[in-house]
Amino acid sequence: MDASDQLWIRCPRLGGETVFSYCLREAGDLPCHRIIACWQVYFPIEKYLKDRFTPQQWEEFQGRRPKEKLSSLLELIDEAQKNTEGQ
Amino acid sequence: MEQRKIVLPDSEIPRQWYNIVADLPTPMSPPLHPGTGKPVCAEDLAPVFPMNLIEQEVSTQRWIDIPEPVLEKYLLWRPAPLCRAINFEKLLDAPVKIYYKYEGASPAGSHKPNTAIAQAYYNKAFGIKRLSTETGAGQWGSALSMACAMFGLECRVFMVKISYEQKPYRRLMMATWGGECIPSPSDRTQAGRNILAQHPDSPGSLGIAISEAIEDAVGNKDSRYALGSVLNHVLLHQTIIGLEAEKQLAQIGEYPDVVMGCAGGGSNFAGIALPFVRDKIHGKELTIVGAEPTSCPTLTRGPFAYDFGDIAMSTPLLPMHTLGHGFVPEPIHAGGLRYHGMAPIVSHLVKEGLVEARAYDQIETFTAGVQWARCEGVIPAPETNHVIAAVVEEAKRAKQEGKQKTILFNFSGHGMIDLASYDSFLSGKLTQHRLSDEEIARALKDIENFPKP
């Protein structure tokens, strides 16, 4: 366990407690889109992320705005249909 | 002796759900398909939902009959009791009467079965054999597993792997009810396999779990997908909570000045609130509040950036200026209920000024929940603690204003499966305050070499 695992927060998306290191990798290559909103009260998370990111990565992170639920459902249906074609 | 519980006989259970769409003063904009830019049509949703539920999703009919087989299942625990929290009233020492609708009485321990049972029924009636869904901590997955068992459907639940490992009890509930709980990402779907190929040790995420559940449904003609919040038909099914509460309050000649619920995706809040929003639309004077989570502590609530800076300059205990980071926090919109995961109906009601939002941070919500447990007995689900924090604030407000108020809120579930969350709070594991320079340095030192994105 690293020290970031000592930073615990209640995750409003999962409905349970989670550690900072999970927030950092929630979206695979990028952190959870809520990471700044959730952690900025506790420490300068935005600066921390900017220090870690290349400008391109920061731009990609900033650009990943979550979509409305129905829009994301429709996109996932399209994607799922492609994934299951020929099965 | 004052009456503590108002119980409706089985024969008085509401026989229709209420659809607020019929009464909205301003119609909602139709959702647009992100691919075509055209309004979403039934066919777009047909791969994942049965047509009878899609009809409810787009319905503008005010009252929708609850099918008899659904009522039969509801009667296992409904009508849910309406209780008066007299001990909590005494603790708060404010001029308030507090009534709560106890949804923890359901077999799964929360309000979720109100829609899980309806969705299982409609899928069964449409000829579906298996439902797939995703779940975070497992509240929805367990409710759907139970509902599927009741209607003879298979149930597959993709549970975010980190929660699957941390929360054994809800997956055991799913297993007991015959649901198959799969840690996500999994090798069952292409979406899961893609993630595992890139990140074999991925802890999962809600986004991945949704992708897997949808792919599982789309890939099989006898399968469909079920969602436990956000969508119109889900909110519709939850209105039985508020409809029962209206009848129960009428029995004792009460009507609320304030109606409150916690608002994650909006379904339990909508369940208690929508029948009262209808009254408000038709001229009743009452306040309707959705309590949502924020990371922003009470002292800094409001116009966040301004308050934050102001407070930071006023005390050396608060860190941002003393850290020397030149850190300017991104403004937090406290009490918005407008984020992407919120039900569009609820967001619309906020925009129309019919509903207001208030935000509470993790520490004040658990503090309120523990106070509640120590005088009313039931340990609330952590989500329920948000609305209890809102009740505490409303009681203080009533005391300051010197006004007598009747508060009604939705106690959305008990917390007996969430005791680990209470352990995190009671042991001080949850981050409780702004971190000092030293604490930050200590906490982040070990992740300097953490794989960078």
Side-chain angles (χ1 to χ4, degrees):
Chain A
M1 189 174 81
D2 64 40
S4 73
D5 286 341
Q6 291 163 24
L7 293 175
W8 283 79
I9 198 165
R10 185 161 175 81
C11 171
R13 298 183 70 205
L14 286 181
E17 284 61 53
T18 193
V19 290
F20 180 62
S21 56
Y22 175 75
C23 308
L24 273 178
R25 57 190 305 217
E26 193 268 349
D29 290 337
L30 290 172
C32 174
H33 66 81
R34 282 186 62 104
I35 193 169
I36 292 176
C38 286
W39 284 101
Q40 65 176 344
V41 177
Y42 303 107
F43 69 98
I45 174 68
E46 190 167 347
K47 180 182 186 305
Y48 173 78
L49 292 176
K50 275 182 176 166
D51 287 349
R52 290 168 59 88
F53 286 3
T54 64
Q56 291 81 358
Q57 285 170 329
W58 177 251
E59 200 174 318
E60 190 186 349
F61 172 65
Q62 291 283 77
R64 277 199 191 177
R65 294 288 176 212
K67 298 185 174 72
E68 293 292 329
K69 191 77 182 182
L70 198 57
S71 296
S72 63
L73 271 184
L74 292 164
E75 285 186 353
L76 289 172
I77 292 169
D78 284 347
E79 202 176 310
Q81 283 173 328
K82 285 176 200 154
N83 281 345
T84 54
E85 265 173 13
Q87 281 185 9
Chain B
M1 187 181 288
E2 289 181 284
Q3 190 172 1
R4 302 263 176 157
K5 293 186 294 297
I6 300 98
V7 180
L8 276 185
D10 288 3
S11 57
E12 288 292 312
I13 192 169
R15 289 173 179 275
Q16 293 178 311
W17 293 299
Y18 168 60
N19 183 7
I20 187 92
V21 174
D23 287 317
L24 290 174
T26 313
M28 293 168 64
S29 309
L32 302 179
H33 193 295
T36 63
K38 293 179 181 165
V40 174
C41 60
E43 288 69 31
D44 294 326
L45 295 170
V48 288
F49 299 119
M51 200 50 73
N52 45 19
L53 281 177
I54 294 173
E55 283 165 9
Q56 288 188 354
E57 184 64 23
V58 299
S59 174
T60 55
Q61 193 182 320
R62 181 170 293 109
W63 297 101
I64 293 178
D65 290 342
I66 304 175
E68 202 62 28
V70 173
L71 281 172
E72 283 171 14
K73 305 300 183 218
Y74 278 176
L75 285 175
L76 291 172
W77 77 96
R78 304 207 75 88
L82 178 74
C83 304
R84 184 166 168 200
I86 291 177
N87 295 333
F88 203 55
E89 289 171 11
K90 285 179 185 160
L91 177 81
L92 297 176
D93 189 28
V96 291
K97 286 185 195 171
I98 300 171
Y99 293 94
Y100 66 97
K101 195 69 176 144
Y102 186 53
E103 290 296 308
S106 84
S110 77
H111 66 293
K112 297 283 187 183
N114 296 332
T115 186
I117 281 174
Q119 292 190 49
Y121 164 76
Y122 283 111
N123 275 281
K124 179 76 175 180
F126 194 70
I128 298 305
K129 295 188 170 57
R130 187 178 79 211
L131 282 179
S132 297
T133 195
E134 78 284 350
T135 198
Q139 205 178 49
W140 168 241
S142 53
L144 190 68
S145 295
M146 181 193 78
C148 285
M150 289 179 173
F151 286 101
L153 293 168
E154 290 176 49
C155 185
R156 269 191 192 163
V157 182
F158 291 87
M159 186 172 187
V160 180
K161 190 186 279 176
I162 189 171
S163 298
Y164 182 93
E165 288 164 356
Q166 284 174 350
K167 305 252 179 187
Y169 294 113
R170 283 225 171 79
R171 67 177 151 88
L172 290 171
M173 288 167 75
M174 294 178 223
T176 304
W177 280 313
E180 185 184 10
C181 182
I182 302 156
S184 168
S186 76
D187 60 4
R188 301 284 188 97
T189 65
Q190 193 57 50
R193 289 190 290 273
N194 289 347
I195 294 293
L196 289 172
Q198 289 177 314
H199 305 281
D201 61 342
S202 167
S205 70
L206 217 45
I208 298 167
I210 296 170
S211 299
E212 291 209 271
I214 287 184
E215 186 178 322
D216 191 59
V218 167
N220 186 320
K221 69 177 174 56
D222 293 327
S223 295
R224 289 294 185 276
Y225 168 74
L227 187 62
S229 64
V230 180
L231 297 181
N232 296 2
H233 67 269
V234 179
L235 273 55
L236 172 83
H237 302 151
Q238 293 293 355
T239 59
I240 191 159
I241 301 171
L243 294 167
E244 285 180 2
E246 275 189 331
K247 283 188 169 193
Q248 287 160 313
L249 286 169
Q251 271 188 12
I252 53 168
E254 287 273 20
Y255 190 85
D257 300 294
V258 187
V259 175
M260 307 180 122
C262 53
S267 75
N268 96 68
F269 167 70
I272 190 90
L274 294 185
F276 293 94
V277 174
R278 174 173 183 256
D279 292 349
K280 191 166 180 172
I281 289 169
H282 292 106
K284 275 272 191 189
E285 284 203 11
L286 74 159
T287 303
I288 301 173
V289 177
E292 62 179 343
T294 178
S295 59
C296 177
T298 307
L299 284 174
T300 61
R301 196 181 310 132
F304 182 71
Y306 172 80
D307 279 353
F308 196 99
D310 187 48
I311 289 165
M313 284 186 283
S314 67
T315 164
L317 293 176
L318 297 168
M320 291 310 166
H321 285 183
T322 61
L323 286 172
H325 287 294
F327 168 62
V328 178
E330 178 182 276
I332 288 180
H333 180 62
L337 294 184
R338 288 180 192 169
Y339 70 98
H340 75 289
M342 177 52 62
I345 284 178
V346 176
S347 297
H348 185 77
L349 295 173
V350 172
K351 195 173 132 211
E352 292 290 304
L354 291 162
V355 162
E356 65 180 85
R358 298 178 192 165
Y360 301 89
D361 83 276
Q362 57 186 8
I363 302 304
E364 61 189 324
T365 62
F366 273 105
T367 302
V370 168
Q371 280 184 318
W372 175 277
R374 288 178 186 177
C375 60
E376 290 294 331
V378 180
I379 298 173
E383 291 75 21
T384 310
N385 288 340
H386 288 82
V387 71
I388 296 174
V391 169
V392 171
E393 187 184 55
E394 190 62 36
K396 285 179 185 165
R397 197 176 286 196
K399 197 171 183 176
Q400 283 166 359
E401 293 170 353
K403 282 186 187 167
Q404 177 75 45
K405 288 185 184 177
T406 299
I407 300 171
L408 167 69
F409 80 94
N410 191 20
F411 193 105
S412 56
H414 68 65
M416 297 304 286
I417 316 287
D418 301 289
L419 292 178
S421 298
Y422 280 87
D423 182 39
S424 296
F425 170 67
L426 294 169
S427 65
K429 195 160 79 173
L430 282 180
T431 307
Q432 305 221 2
H433 58 90
R434 295 190 182 83
L435 304 173
S436 68
D437 260 346
E438 291 73 26
E439 286 171 311
I440 292 168
R442 196 166 56 242
L444 298 181
K445 188 173 184 302
D446 288 354
I447 56 170
E448 281 171 0
N449 298 319
F450 197 82
K452 293 193 178 185

